[in-house]
Amino acid sequence: MRVIQFREALREAMSEEMRRDKNVFLMGEEVAEYNGAYKVSQGMLDEFGPDRVYDTPISELGFAGLGVGAAMNGLRPMIEFMTFNFSLVAIDQIINSAAKMLAMSGGAYSVPIVFRGPTGNAGQLGATHSSNFENWFANTPGLKVVVPSNPYDAKGLLKASVRDDDPVIFMESELMYSDKGEVPEGEYLLPIGVADIKRKGKDVTIVSFGKMMKVALEAAEELAKDGVEAEVIDLRTVRPIDYATVVESVKKTNRCVVVEEANPIAAISSEITYHLQRNAFDYLDAPVVRVNSMDIPLSYAPTYIEATIPNVKRTLDAVKDVMYKK
């Protein structure tokens, strides 16, 4: 199977859907003439032209609202935010318009729109460019929230998101765009709301999503050296969450660690932890342990970044905690 970059997988997904459906279009800052801030949309202006690949002013509120209106009238916009930190400017259109329109209109208007772009820490970009909003958007009825961890999942999930009749928040990472992975030549879609077991194991369950999957999988490799078999689950989507896959894994391993880049208050890891104590309490041999970023704005200094966000050492310490090992 061929190996391509994460950004190439996203580009293929968007291009294939635009070829398939003339109602699909791409809009955002620098997506056309500049080929995308991260070169995700490279070459798409040449193929589809300025009527379907639109550069916008620096006006997230404006072009998000334009996209919502277009979706209500039969089009399928893909709206790129240069970073989801900038989506705060457009959050009223996302939450009060896109997410609620189907309910408020009594089913008369669906909003088939995809808001996509990078989320979370991307190195030394400072606090205002390093936030995680997965749990924010996942707390909004009417939205679906997808956070892929590799090129294969990214392509299949983005294609499914474009075809979905509900608004989808599709969150990537600047630190993953050059990651490479196997992606088949033929068309495929992955269902939204279905987790994937990336590594089988019997001793402890590690749950994560997005770029934190790198931390989870590396920790599993280190644990294997000591004879500990970790089962690693990639949620892939955080609204809806595939609780069943997590519960079934914990019934087997009896222990769970959740790794998430967001701050700890009202996080996805909090929701997973609650669901396990509610639905798998009798199977737990230890309390669930969460590994989140520290509850502070992310610093610019690289040493502070390393100390703030989840890493392999903190994940290994959490596993030792649930296994009662020193």
Side-chain angles (χ1 to χ4, degrees):
M1 190 182 297
R2 69 192 176 131
V3 174
I4 64 174
Q5 291 184 336
F6 194 99
R7 61 166 57 87
E8 293 174 307
L10 295 171
R11 184 188 310 142
E12 283 191 359
M14 292 192 293
S15 298
E16 288 176 12
E17 292 306 302
M18 289 178 70
R19 294 180 196 121
R20 173 184 173 273
D21 185 348
K22 62 181 177 58
N23 291 318
V24 179
F25 68 91
L26 174 65
M27 180 166 57
E29 295 158 0
E30 299 184 347
V31 300
E33 295 288 345
Y34 191 66
N35 286 310
Y38 313 105
K39 300 304 178 254
V40 174
S41 57
Q42 188 167 25
M44 292 181 65
L45 175 63
D46 293 337
E47 177 175 356
F48 299 104
D51 290 336
R52 296 185 68 195
V53 181
Y54 298 92
D55 277 331
T56 68
I58 302 175
S59 55
E60 286 80 7
L61 177 64
F63 64 77
L66 193 156
V68 172
M72 291 173 62
N73 284 277
L75 300 180
R76 289 184 176 270
M78 298 181 293
I79 306 297
E80 178 178 310
F81 293 123
M82 195 176 292
T83 162
F84 264 96
N85 293 275
F86 300 161
S87 74
L88 296 185
V89 182
I91 203 164
D92 181 64
Q93 291 292 349
I94 298 170
I95 291 178
N96 274 333
S97 295
K100 298 175 181 177
M101 189 57 63
L102 185 67
M104 291 193 302
S105 68
Y109 288 100
S110 59
V111 185
I113 188 171
V114 175
F115 298 100
R116 53 156 294 271
T119 184
N121 157 61
Q124 294 177 263
L125 297 182
T128 59
H129 288 68
S130 304
S131 297
N132 292 84
F133 297 110
E134 299 93 325
N135 53 324
W136 286 39
F137 289 117
N139 195 37
T140 304
L143 294 180
K144 294 176 180 176
V145 184
V146 180
V147 195
S149 68
N150 61 79
Y152 174 83
D153 288 357
K155 181 176 180 180
L157 286 166
L158 182 52
K159 287 172 69 67
S161 298
V162 172
R163 298 188 194 187
D164 201 288
D165 288 332
D166 292 319
V168 178
I169 305 294
F170 195 94
M171 311 185 93
E172 305 146 14
S173 168
E174 292 178 51
L175 298 180
M176 292 170 59
Y177 284 129
S178 60
D179 288 0
K180 293 182 177 180
E182 292 185 341
V183 177
E185 294 278 1
E187 180 177 86
Y188 67 95
L189 285 80
L190 295 176
I192 295 173
V194 178
D196 188 38
I197 299 175
K198 300 298 189 189
R199 183 182 180 119
K200 295 279 190 180
K202 61 179 179 60
D203 297 320
V204 61
T205 298
I206 303 177
V207 181
S208 191
F209 57 90
K211 71 173 178 286
M212 287 297 106
M213 281 298 299
K214 295 181 182 181
V215 172
L217 289 168
E218 187 175 342
E221 287 288 341
E222 290 298 315
L223 290 167
K225 296 175 183 178
D226 293 330
V228 177
E229 297 180 19
E231 182 147 293
V232 182
I233 297 176
D234 184 350
L235 291 178
R236 299 202 290 199
T237 63
V238 296
R239 187 179 183 108
I241 295 175
D242 182 0
Y243 295 111
T245 295
V246 178
V247 168
E248 287 305 308
S249 177
V250 170
K251 286 181 178 180
K252 176 176 62 175
T253 66
N254 310 119
R255 296 170 174 85
C256 185
V257 169
V258 188
V259 183
E260 178 187 13
E261 189 178 345
N263 303 116
I265 303 300
I268 299 300
S269 56
S270 311
E271 181 64 21
I272 294 292
T273 301
Y274 167 77
H275 196 87
L276 287 174
Q277 69 86 19
R278 181 69 179 84
N279 295 283
F281 182 82
D282 291 339
Y283 294 90
L284 288 169
D285 288 342
V288 178
V289 174
R290 305 183 300 154
V291 182
N292 289 81
S293 289
M294 302 302 181
D295 199 19
I296 56 174
L298 194 67
S299 172
Y300 174 81
T303 49
Y304 282 2
I305 294 173
E306 174 62 23
T308 301
I309 65 174
N311 56 36
V312 173
K313 182 183 182 303
R314 289 177 59 199
T315 304
L316 292 174
D317 289 344
V319 171
K320 291 176 183 177
D321 191 3
V322 299
M323 297 189 74
Y324 301 112
K325 292 185 176 183
K326 294 184 179 180

